[in-house]
Amino acid sequence: MNALKYATAATLLAVALPASAQQLSIATGGTGGVYYPIGGGFAEMINEHIEGADATAEVTGASVENMGLIMRGDADLALVLADTAYQAYNGSGDFEERQIENARALASVYPNAVQLVTLAESDIESLADLEGKRVSVGAPGSGTELNARALLESNGISYEDFTSQRLNFNETADAIRDGDIDAGFWSVGPPTSSILNLAATRDIRLIGFSDEEIANAREDEPVFARYELAAGMYDGMDEAVQTIGIPNVLVVNSDMDEELAYQLTKLLFENTDELIAVHPAANDTTVEFTMESTPIPLHPGALRYFEEIDADIPDRLQP
């Protein structure tokens, strides 16, 4: 199977798509994260259930890059961290002077957890212990790097305090395993395959954040929320670990056809079990989570679906 395309048997058997077929590109992230399987699973659902649609999941540099793809019309849908979407829509943070006002949401799909991983034998016990170490802060243009930087800087730690490397999920796991770095950040829906694979080959430890560190982070980034990584999530993880979570948003351009946006939103929420079968992170794909967590206005097509099911829609989500 082409790594960039998920296709159903029904799609493969089709002689030809209708002339009016809708080609849809879903911007995801690296293959070691959750965006790619979630995006691929949703592409399968689109191909199976929306007549005339042909969707593909694309490997990208994740959140920041994905917002640019949506702005330029180079992707039709994108998975994006809430803080990235919020900054892009409002022209703040990394998006100062390049505001993306045409971004709209269909849904919030699941929360990411910021996961700071080191080897069990490491002397790193807290954020402060990263000083002087070699640390992966995530791939360039990724939400992981945005989250890592916000968490660190809100707690008085800058990149100058350690040797930073910008590696993707799989590269980070390999570098920790091989001893090339001392720790690495992930901002991704847990459990994620690259950490699972690392934990299967080396004894690892996840670094928890204190109440004060979380409060500092939330003061700087309101989209952050306290999140607990459950005991047993990864091999050797005997106790729950306190961290922060950030919603992941399914973003489209405001120019998307209203009927298509409606059909996509309806598909997501009325066939969620199919997405859960692809990745357990989709257990959090609920209307309630979308209403509570979405940081930018909804597309009119999505709004139509939520009005149709009598959802309690906050004013901030009105387009």
Side-chain angles (χ1 to χ4, degrees), residues 188-205:
V188 63
T192 187
S193 59
S194 44
I195 301 178
L196 287 167
N197 293 338
L198 175 61
T201 58
R202 297 294 302 271
D203 292 335
I204 66 167
R205 183 157 38 80

Side-chain angles (χ1 to χ4, degrees), residues 97-118:
E97 298 182 4
R98 55 187 185 120
Q99 185 175 9
I100 305 177
E101 294 179 89
N102 57 354
R104 296 293 183 271
L106 296 187
S108 286
V109 184
Y110 68 94
N112 269 17
V114 175
Q115 299 164 76
L116 176 56
V117 179
T118 188

Side-chain angles (χ1 to χ4, degrees), residues 87 150-151 153-155 214-224:
Q87 289 181 9
L151 173 66
E153 290 182 352
S154 66
N155 285 286
I214 291 172
N216 291 341
R218 293 191 67 187
E219 186 173 341
D220 280 10
E221 288 288 351
V223 298
F224 284 149

Side-chain angles (χ1 to χ4, degrees), residues 70-120:
I70 289 293
M71 176 188 69
R72 296 188 300 272
D74 292 335
D76 300 288
L77 303 95
L79 285 159
V80 178
L81 277 166
D83 55 343
T84 307
Y86 179 85
Q87 289 181 9
Y89 180 75
N90 290 286
S92 61
D94 274 21
F95 292 88
E96 196 170 339
E97 298 182 4
R98 55 187 185 120
Q99 185 175 9
I100 305 177
E101 294 179 89
N102 57 354
R104 296 293 183 271
L106 296 187
S108 286
V109 184
Y110 68 94
N112 269 17
V114 175
Q115 299 164 76
L116 176 56
V117 179
T118 188
L119 293 178

Side-chain angles (χ1 to χ4, degrees), residues 48-243:
E48 176 71 23
H49 297 290
I50 298 183
E51 187 174 354
D54 183 23
T56 60
E58 306 292 345
V59 174
T60 72
S63 295
V64 177
E65 180 182 333
N66 290 356
M67 287 304 305
L69 294 171
I70 289 293
M71 176 188 69
R72 296 188 300 272
D74 292 335
D76 300 288
L77 303 95
L79 285 159
V80 178
L81 277 166
D83 55 343
T84 307
Y86 179 85
Q87 289 181 9
Y89 180 75
N90 290 286
S92 61
D94 274 21
F95 292 88
E96 196 170 339
E97 298 182 4
R98 55 187 185 120
Q99 185 175 9
I100 305 177
E101 294 179 89
N102 57 354
R104 296 293 183 271
L106 296 187
S108 286
V109 184
Y110 68 94
N112 269 17
V114 175
Q115 299 164 76
L116 176 56
V117 179
T118 188
L119 293 178
E121 65 207 39
S122 165
D123 60 358
I124 298 171
E125 302 282 349
S126 68
L127 283 178
D129 293 336
L130 295 178
E131 184 174 353
K133 303 296 188 182
R134 301 162 300 169
V135 184
S136 172
V137 294
S142 69
T144 292
E145 186 181 4
L146 278 183
N147 294 160
R149 189 167 62 212
L151 173 66
L152 291 165
E153 290 182 352
S154 66
N155 285 286
I157 303 169
S158 77
Y159 283 7
E160 294 178 359
D161 295 323
F162 56 85
T163 302
S164 64
Q165 296 194 33
R166 292 174 170 84
L167 307 176
N168 68 28
F169 293 150
N170 288 331
E171 291 168 342
T172 299
D174 289 346
I176 292 174
R177 181 196 66 210
D178 297 339
D180 295 331
I181 61 174
D182 302 298
F185 283 95
W186 277 254
S187 184
V188 63
T192 187
S193 59
S194 44
I195 301 178
L196 287 167
N197 293 338
L198 175 61
T201 58
R202 297 294 302 271
D203 292 335
I204 66 167
R205 183 157 38 80
L206 278 87
I207 306 302
F209 309 139
S210 69
D211 291 344
E212 182 181 0
E213 288 168 342
I214 291 172
N216 291 341
R218 293 191 67 187
E219 186 173 341
D220 280 10
E221 288 288 351
V223 298
F224 284 149
R226 187 184 305 274
Y227 188 85
E228 188 173 89
L229 296 163
M233 183 166 287
Y234 300 109
D235 285 351
M237 188 176 163
D238 298 330
E239 297 180 352
V241 172
Q242 179 172 266
T243 183

